[in-house]
Amino acid sequence: MRESFHHELNRLSTQLGLMCTLAADAIRRASRALRTADLDLAEQVIAADAEIDWARADCESHAQTLLALQAPKGHDLRTILAAIYCAERLERMGDLAAHIADTVRFAHPHHAVPAHLEYDFAEMADAAAAMADRLAELIDRQCPCGFADLADIDQTIDTIHAHVLAQITSDQWPHCVQTAINLALLARFYERFGDHAVAVANRLGFAATGELPFHNT
């Protein structure tokens, strides 16, 4: 019975790892669509968001079954509750990627990001995808000590986010107000993606050690 229960706990980790991989793929493809104004790719990202939604439902159902049938305690209970919490956050990361893709669709056939800000958004995109990739790797290796480094990557996104906001609110902003609003939202999507990744790292670290290493986002 105990061996079977631990097998089910490992399956929860596998489900979370899959969601991380899906989120990384979604943010990477949405960012590529943003960079290239690729409407077809944007539509694919939006459609694929349903897979992440399904993965969350499957993970939560599995976790709730374990709670009901196994009455876990201590570390095992933390692991199951963390899975439910993290599945929700990972689904939101997928939603944010879909929002970026939706912005591409709204702006098409034009590029949503002006040329002078393309580098900033590319940097945020790379950092966001790296965070999701890192989460998947750490979950697969069951290495809670490594989750702390995600906060450093998130700081990179926060810094670029602030830089973008400073530019679009400047008196020298050369574009229209609607463009500024759209860019503020886009930057916010990346910023929130990073925040959710850190929140997942926090909760998984708590499940493993019983301590929250960072303030929850």
Side-chain angles (χ1 to χ4, degrees), residues 154-174:
D154 186 49
Q155 185 59 51
T156 297
I157 298 178
D158 291 344
T159 300
I160 300 172
H161 175 239
H163 177 66
V164 169
L165 291 184
Q167 292 200 59
I168 65 178
T169 57
S170 168
D171 291 339
Q172 281 73 48
W173 175 245

Side-chain angles (χ1 to χ4, degrees), residues 7 9-20 139-140:
H7 172 75
L9 290 180
N10 288 335
R11 189 159 77 88
L12 271 181
S13 293
T14 299
Q15 289 172 303
L16 290 177
L18 172 62
M19 291 190 71
C20 289
I139 290 171
D140 181 62

Side-chain angles (χ1 to χ4, degrees), residues 15 19 52-62 64 87 91:
Q15 289 172 303
M19 291 190 71
I52 301 180
D53 295 343
W54 179 87
R56 173 194 174 178
D58 186 48
C59 184
E60 287 186 344
S61 177
H62 183 201
Q64 289 164 1
E91 186 208 352

Side-chain angles (χ1 to χ4, degrees), residues 5 12 47 61 80 86 100 104-105 119 142 153 162 199 204 211:
F5 178 50
L12 271 181
S61 177
I80 295 172
C86 293
I100 292 169
V104 175
R105 181 168 61 180
Y119 179 79
Q142 297 185 356
I153 306 176
L204 291 173
E211 298 180 0

Side-chain angles (χ1 to χ4, degrees), residues 175-187:
H175 306 285
C176 67
V177 171
Q178 186 60 55
T179 298
I181 293 171
N182 292 341
L183 291 171
L185 288 172
L186 275 172

